[in-house]
Amino acid sequence: MKITINEIAKEAGVAKSTVSRYLNGGRISQKTSDKIRRIIEEHNYEPNSFARSLKSKKTGFVGVVAPALDSFVTSKILIRMDEELRERGYTTLISNTSHSIEREIESLQNLQRQKVDGMILFATELTPSHFELIETLTVPLLIIGQETDRTHCIVFDDYQAGYQMGEYISSKGHEKISYIGVDEMDIAVGKRRKQGIEDGCRANGADPVQFFKSGFDFDSAMQATKKCLEHSVPSAIICATDTIALGAMRVVREKGYNIPADISISGFGGYTVSEMIHPSLVTVAFDYLETGRMAAGTIARLMQGEEVDQLQRPHFTIRKGESVKGKK
Amino acid sequence: MKITINEIAKEAGVAKSTVSRYLNGGRISQKTSDKIRRIIEEHNYEPNSFARSLKSKKTGFVGVVAPALDSFVTSKILIRMDEELRERGYTTLISNTSHSIEREIESLQNLQRQKVDGMILFATELTPSHFELIETLTVPLLIIGQETDRTHCIVFDDYQAGYQMGEYISSKGHEKISYIGVDEMDIAVGKRRKQGIEDGCRANGADPVQFFKSGFDFDSAMQATKKCLEHSVPSAIICATDTIALGAMRVVREKGYNIPADISISGFGGYTVSEMIHPSLVTVAFDYLETGRMAAGTIARLMQGEEVDQLQRPHFTIRKGESVKGKK
C-alpha cells in the first residue's frame, strides 16, 4: 500500500537521489519539485513514519520562534517552511515573541521542555543570552537571519545584496547617494548591508554615501528622510527595507520632489506591496520560498543526525521598478 | 510571593471586577488595561496556574488554525491574541493551512488529538464538513471571521461597515459608484459587505451601485478594475479590501485618470501600508487589537466552562485619507 522512494522516483521519471534531495530540501528544479510533491500527496507518502517508529522518543514537533508574525519576510518563509515540514510528517509549533529578546530565550527554553525534536529561530539580534542558551540545548537549533559559528544558520548575503544595489544605482549615473539604514547591533542588516552598499556605490565612482539612521518602522523612516533632505538633497536614496522606502517616498513627495524624476528611491525586501504601489519600487527580492524549503530541509536533516553545511545563503535578485531613473 | 487579583486591583486603583473583566477579555479602557497589564507583568502573575493544577487533565494549549499567516488581518489579530493568552498562562499552537479547506478540517482534528483545551479557527468559508466536525468536538471552538449559530463566533459587522462606507462616499456627492467585491460564497465579505454598501449608497440618493467581481489578490483586482472602466467610468470605486483597492489604483492611474481628482477610491481593512502610500487610502479599519483580546478572553472563558455571548462584534472606524474627494 505505502509507496517507497524508489517508486516515487520511477513515477516521476527521476533518479532516486533526486527524490532524496527533494526530501532533504536540496536544490532541484521547480518543475521536478512540483512533480514529486504531487506524487507524494497522491499517495500520502510519510517519509518519517518509519524512522520515527524506530526512535519512539521523537515527538514529531518542530518549534519555531519568531519576533513578529506580521513581518512580510517572516511570514513568507514560515508558510513555505511549514508546508515542507508537514510533508515530511512534522508539526510546527509557532511562538510569537513580539520583539522581546527575553521572551525569545524563554520560548526556546519552553519548546525544549515541550520535547520538540528541533528548533528554528528567526533572529534579529544575537546576544550573550542566546549563546549561553545554545550551550544547553539538547536538540538541533537552526537560526535564520543572523550568523554565528555556534550553530547552523541560514542568512541572506547582505553584503552582496547591498553591493549589487549600490552598483545598480551608481551605474545609473547617480553620484550623490544617501542611505537610510538601521542600527549596527543588527549585524546582517545594520552592518553588512550598509558596507555592501558603500562599496557597490564606490565601484562606479559615486561620492561617499551619506548615512542616516532609522528604525524599521514607517515613522522613524519619515524622520530620517527629513534629516536626509535637510542635510542636502541627493539624487538617489537607498533604503534598508521596503517599509523604510515607503516612508522616504512619502516625505520626498511631501517636500515637493518627484519620484524618480528628481530623486530615485530603492528598498530591500521585495514585499508584494512594493510592486503594487506607484511608482513601483526597485528592491532586492530575496528568495523566501527557497529559504523556507532550505530551513525545513535543514532542520529535518539535523533532527535525523545528518550533516548539513553550517552556513547557507538563499538566492536574491534585484527587482526592477519605476522608482529609479538614469541621470543624464 | 504571588500576587492575587485583590492586590492587583488595589495597586491599579480599580475594582476587583475590573481586573476580572480584564482577565476575561471584557471591555475596559485602554489606560486601565495598560495599568493592569504592567502590574501583572511586574509580578509575573499567572492567573491559570491554580485552576489548572486542580484540573490536571488540561494541557494549557490553545490550537489556532489560520488559512494564511501572511494575511495582514490574521497576523494582527493573532499577535495580540497570542500575547493575551500567554498572559493567562496558555500556550498557542498555530497551524497554517494555506487556504485549503481540507487541511483546515484536518488541522482541527489533529489539534483535538493533541489534546488542546480549546481551538480558534480563522474562517473564510464554512462548509458542511465544518458543521460535521463541530458536532464531534469535545473542546470549545471559537470561529473568527464568519458567522454560524453552531458555535461561538467573532465577526466584523460587515453590513454596518459597508453601509457606513456607502453613506460616506455618497455623502461626498458621488452618484455613479462602482463596487469591486468578491464571491458570495464568502458570506461576510462577499454578501453582507456588498449589501451594506448598496444600501448605504442608496441612503444618499446615489444610482444603483455597479458590481464587479474580483478575487482577493492584486492581479484579479486589476482585471476587475479594467472591466469596470470599460463598462463606464464611475466617479468613485469602493473596493472590498485594501489589496483590491491597490490594484484598482494602479489600473486607474495607468488609464490616465487622477486619484482622487477624476476617480475616488476606497478600501476595507485598514492595512498599515494603506496609510503609507500616496494618496493615502480611505478605508474601514476594524479594531484588530480589540478582536485579539476578545478572542483570547472568549476562548479562555469557554475553556473554564463560563458563559459567553454566542456572537460578538469588534468595533470599526472609517479611516479618512486622501483617496476620496468631494464632487461639486
Side-chain angles (χ1 to χ4, degrees):
Chain A
M1 195 69 192
K2 283 244 180 242
I3 194 166
T4 66
I5 290 190
N6 263 325
E7 288 161 344
I8 294 172
K10 212 170 156 194
E11 195 167 330
V14 300
K16 189 178 155 189
S17 61
T18 307
V19 179
S20 295
R21 204 149 69 243
Y22 170 86
L23 292 172
N24 293 327
R27 276 227 124 209
I28 55 173
S29 75
Q30 190 62 45
K31 208 179 131 198
T32 309
S33 162
D34 290 345
K35 208 188 288 173
I36 297 176
R37 173 170 316 117
R38 209 167 41 241
I39 295 166
I40 284 180
E41 284 174 357
E42 271 170 20
H43 295 275
N44 285 317
Y45 175 69
E46 288 183 26
N48 288 297
S49 53
F50 178 62
R52 274 236 299 291
S53 69
L54 279 182
K55 316 177 190 171
S56 60
K57 276 200 177 155
K58 302 264 174 174
T59 59
F61 286 116
V62 177
V64 176
V65 177
L69 294 180
D70 57 351
S71 142
F72 172 80
V73 175
T74 301
S75 65
K76 282 289 169 213
I77 298 174
L78 195 49
I79 286 179
R80 184 55 178 264
M81 186 172 83
D82 176 61
E83 285 171 11
E84 297 277 336
L85 282 171
R86 188 189 294 254
E87 274 174 24
R88 287 178 172 75
Y90 291 103
T91 303
T92 40
L93 305 184
I94 303 166
S95 286
N96 171 61
T97 63
S98 302
H99 289 289
S100 149
I101 294 281
E102 200 186 320
R103 197 175 278 186
E104 201 167 289
I105 303 289
E106 201 184 280
S107 293
L108 290 166
Q109 287 167 334
N110 277 340
L111 285 168
Q112 170 143 289
R113 245 176 271 131
Q114 281 165 32
K115 308 269 179 237
V116 296
D117 298 339
M119 298 194 282
I120 298 175
L121 168 67
F122 285 82
T124 50
E125 200 184 305
L126 294 176
T127 66
S129 314
H130 286 92
F131 298 130
E132 262 176 48
L133 178 75
I134 290 176
E135 294 304 313
T136 70
L137 292 183
T138 55
V139 296
L141 169 70
L142 171 67
I143 290 179
I144 300 180
Q146 299 288 338
E147 191 178 333
T148 169
D149 54 12
R150 306 191 192 203
T151 189
H152 287 79
C153 301
I154 295 180
V155 194
F156 297 118
D157 193 341
D158 280 290
Y159 179 81
Q160 267 306 320
Y163 190 94
Q164 289 191 25
M165 181 57 89
E167 223 181 6
Y168 175 74
I169 298 293
S170 55
S171 76
K172 293 282 181 184
H174 294 281
E175 290 171 0
K176 267 190 81 186
I177 301 171
S178 289
Y179 174 56
I180 303 183
V182 300
D183 197 286
E184 298 211 342
M185 284 291 285
D186 181 331
I187 305 292
V189 181
K191 260 197 172 144
R192 302 245 159 87
R193 198 172 285 184
K194 176 165 174 262
Q195 189 62 49
I197 288 165
E198 288 172 347
D199 293 352
C201 287
R202 204 176 295 130
N204 282 313
D207 295 345
V209 170
Q210 286 286 343
F211 173 71
F212 297 89
K213 192 165 116 181
S214 168
F216 281 98
D217 60 301
F218 186 66
D219 288 335
S220 76
M222 298 218 309
Q223 294 306 321
T225 310
K226 277 175 196 157
K227 270 192 203 137
C228 163
L229 295 179
E230 278 161 20
H231 179 270
S232 74
V233 179
S235 75
I237 302 176
I238 300 177
C239 302
T241 73
D242 284 5
T243 298
I244 294 176
L246 285 168
M249 282 173 129
R250 174 155 278 262
V251 170
V252 161
R253 238 188 233 114
E254 279 171 4
K255 299 280 179 192
Y257 299 102
N258 185 291
I259 307 165
D262 303 321
I263 302 179
S264 292
I265 294 185
S266 73
F268 275 82
Y271 305 170
T272 311
V273 74
S274 312
E275 283 186 287
M276 299 183 183
I277 57 170
H278 180 83
S280 61
L281 187 65
V282 170
T283 182
V284 169
F286 295 103
D287 192 336
Y288 302 119
L289 300 187
E290 182 196 8
T291 311
R293 280 200 73 206
M294 201 183 254
T298 300
I299 198 71
R301 291 177 66 181
L302 291 173
M303 291 186 298
Q304 284 157 17
E306 294 174 29
E307 290 280 319
V308 191
D309 287 344
Q310 184 93 8
L311 178 66
Q312 295 174 90
R313 296 195 183 282
H315 289 76
F316 66 87
T317 50
I318 293 195
R319 199 164 75 192
K320 305 293 162 62
E322 305 154 345
S323 67
V324 172
K325 194 173 162 265
K327 243 183 98 78
K328 280 138 273 184
Chain B
M1 195 73 192
K2 284 245 181 245
I3 193 166
T4 65
I5 290 189
N6 262 326
E7 287 160 344
I8 295 172
K10 212 172 159 192
E11 197 168 328
V14 300
K16 190 178 156 189
S17 61
T18 306
V19 179
S20 296
R21 203 148 68 241
Y22 171 86
L23 292 171
N24 294 327
R27 280 229 117 208
I28 56 174
S29 76
Q30 191 61 46
K31 208 179 132 199
T32 308
S33 163
D34 290 344
K35 208 188 288 172
I36 296 175
R37 173 171 314 116
R38 210 165 44 241
I39 296 166
I40 284 179
E41 283 173 359
E42 271 169 22
H43 294 274
N44 285 317
Y45 175 68
E46 288 181 27
N48 288 298
S49 53
F50 178 62
R52 274 237 298 292
S53 69
L54 279 183
K55 317 178 191 171
S56 60
K57 277 202 177 156
K58 301 264 174 175
T59 59
F61 286 115
V62 177
V64 176
V65 177
L69 294 179
D70 57 351
S71 140
F72 173 81
V73 174
T74 301
S75 66
K76 282 289 167 211
I77 298 174
L78 195 49
I79 287 179
R80 184 55 178 265
M81 187 171 83
D82 176 61
E83 286 171 11
E84 297 277 336
L85 282 169
R86 190 187 294 255
E87 275 174 23
R88 287 178 171 77
Y90 291 102
T91 303
T92 40
L93 305 183
I94 303 167
S95 287
N96 171 60
T97 62
S98 301
H99 289 290
S100 148
I101 294 280
E102 199 185 323
R103 198 176 276 185
E104 203 167 288
I105 302 289
E106 200 183 281
S107 294
L108 290 166
Q109 285 166 335
N110 276 340
L111 285 168
Q112 170 143 289
R113 246 177 270 130
Q114 282 165 32
K115 308 268 177 238
V116 297
D117 298 339
M119 299 194 280
I120 298 175
L121 168 68
F122 285 82
T124 50
E125 202 183 302
L126 294 176
T127 66
S129 314
H130 286 91
F131 298 131
E132 261 174 49
L133 179 75
I134 290 175
E135 294 303 312
T136 70
L137 293 183
T138 54
V139 296
L141 169 69
L142 171 67
I143 290 178
I144 301 179
Q146 299 289 339
E147 191 176 333
T148 167
D149 55 11
R150 305 191 194 204
T151 187
H152 288 78
C153 302
I154 294 180
V155 194
F156 296 119
D157 193 340
D158 281 290
Y159 178 81
Q160 267 306 320
Y163 190 94
Q164 288 190 24
M165 180 58 88
E167 221 180 6
Y168 175 73
I169 298 293
S170 55
S171 76
K172 293 282 182 184
H174 294 281
E175 289 170 1
K176 266 190 80 176
I177 301 171
S178 289
Y179 173 56
I180 302 183
V182 300
D183 197 285
E184 299 212 340
M185 285 290 285
D186 181 330
I187 305 291
V189 180
K191 261 200 172 140
R192 301 247 159 86
R193 199 172 283 182
K194 176 166 174 261
Q195 189 61 50
I197 288 165
E198 289 172 347
D199 293 352
C201 288
R202 203 174 297 131
N204 282 313
D207 295 345
V209 171
Q210 286 286 340
F211 173 71
F212 297 91
K213 193 165 116 180
S214 168
F216 281 98
D217 61 302
F218 186 65
D219 289 334
S220 76
M222 298 217 309
Q223 294 308 322
T225 309
K226 278 174 196 156
K227 269 193 205 136
C228 163
L229 295 180
E230 277 160 21
H231 179 270
S232 74
V233 179
S235 75
I237 302 177
I238 300 177
C239 303
T241 73
D242 283 5
T243 298
I244 294 175
L246 284 168
M249 282 173 131
R250 173 156 280 264
V251 170
V252 162
R253 243 189 228 112
E254 280 171 4
K255 299 280 179 194
Y257 299 102
N258 185 291
I259 306 164
D262 303 320
I263 301 179
S264 291
I265 293 185
S266 73
F268 274 83
Y271 305 171
T272 312
V273 75
S274 311
E275 282 186 289
M276 300 183 182
I277 57 171
H278 180 83
S280 61
L281 188 64
V282 170
T283 182
V284 170
F286 294 104
D287 192 336
Y288 302 118
L289 300 187
E290 182 196 9
T291 311
R293 280 199 72 208
M294 201 182 255
T298 300
I299 198 71
R301 291 177 66 181
L302 290 173
M303 291 185 298
Q304 284 159 16
E306 294 174 31
E307 290 282 319
V308 190
D309 287 344
Q310 184 93 5
L311 178 66
Q312 296 174 88
R313 297 196 184 280
H315 289 76
F316 66 88
T317 49
I318 294 195
R319 200 164 74 192
K320 305 292 161 66
E322 304 153 346
S323 67
V324 171
K325 193 173 162 265
K327 246 182 95 77
K328 279 140 272 179

